[in-house]
Amino acid sequence: MKRYISTQDREGYTQMLEIVSALGGSRLGYKWLITDVEAYPQDGGKYDELIENNSYIILSNAEFLNMLSECNFQWIWAVFSAIPEKISNEEILKYSLPYAAENEEIYKDDVAIIQHPLADIEIVAEDSSSVFIVSKDEQMAEKFKNLFPMSRTNY
């Protein structure tokens, strides 16, 4: 398992389309569980209502990419858990929802944890100031590192 944190590569975070595209885009075989969200889409309400009215969102990779392509907004806070697409939504929801705000466990140095036990990748947008990835597949983590070359393994 590998973690990279980017705090110095951008002035503002997090544009998820860029990150998901760097990881593989439409070739990714995941569902995306999106939790602990603070974001303000500028799409006239469609995605704003989806985010505002739900404590979690589960999207197929294609749905997630479509949303990001239609309205590539900044995610202030959010946890994105990439879960193999073959796993049912019911199975995903048997576990606690991942969160970032005030979750001290995920911010400890030298600790690389993925909160959802079924997820292969976790991406956390942190208060517009940074983003980090934890991945079971080190090659995925390295793709993130290539996108954010100043990223490091600890805060």
Side-chain angles (χ1 to χ4, degrees), residues 79-153:
V79 178
F80 303 89
S81 303
I83 298 172
E85 62 190 356
K86 65 182 180 213
I87 297 174
S88 71
N89 292 359
E90 293 77 21
E91 184 69 20
I92 291 168
L93 294 174
K94 287 181 181 178
Y95 300 93
S96 298
L97 296 176
Y99 67 103
E102 300 179 23
N103 184 349
E104 297 300 319
E105 291 301 308
I106 65 171
Y107 295 105
K108 292 180 179 175
D109 282 345
D110 299 316
V111 175
I113 62 167
I114 295 176
Q115 296 177 74
H116 198 288
L118 301 175
D120 289 342
I121 301 169
E122 180 172 287
I123 301 167
V124 179
E126 306 176 292
D127 196 22
S128 304
S129 62
S130 62
V131 63
F132 76 79
I133 188 171
V134 180
S135 179
K136 292 178 181 176
D137 180 346
E138 290 192 14
Q139 289 180 336
M140 284 291 185
E142 293 304 321
K143 290 178 181 181
F144 178 91
K145 173 74 170 161
N146 289 338
L147 181 61
F148 300 106
M150 295 172 63
S151 62
R152 54 196 186 281
T153 58

Side-chain angles (χ1 to χ4, degrees), residues 14-122:
T14 306
Q15 301 292 331
M16 284 301 296
L17 182 58
E18 180 183 27
I19 294 171
V20 175
S21 295
L23 296 179
S26 62
R27 296 180 311 278
L28 295 172
Y30 293 113
K31 289 182 178 183
W32 291 90
L33 171 64
I34 308 167
T35 55
D36 197 20
V37 176
E38 180 181 342
Y40 304 100
Q42 304 298 311
D43 69 333
K46 177 180 172 184
Y47 296 116
D48 193 36
E49 287 179 22
L50 179 67
I51 289 168
E52 209 46 47
N53 296 328
N54 295 287
S55 59
Y56 68 89
I57 303 164
I58 300 176
L59 299 172
S60 70
N61 193 62
E63 291 168 331
F64 189 38
L65 286 171
N66 186 51
M67 178 178 82
L68 296 174
S69 295
E70 284 182 25
C71 186
N72 190 22
F73 53 92
Q74 183 176 8
W75 299 77
I76 310 303
W77 282 100
V79 178
F80 303 89
S81 303
I83 298 172
E85 62 190 356
K86 65 182 180 213
I87 297 174
S88 71
N89 292 359
E90 293 77 21
E91 184 69 20
I92 291 168
L93 294 174
K94 287 181 181 178
Y95 300 93
S96 298
L97 296 176
Y99 67 103
E102 300 179 23
N103 184 349
E104 297 300 319
E105 291 301 308
I106 65 171
Y107 295 105
K108 292 180 179 175
D109 282 345
D110 299 316
V111 175
I113 62 167
I114 295 176
Q115 296 177 74
H116 198 288
L118 301 175
D120 289 342
I121 301 169
E122 180 172 287

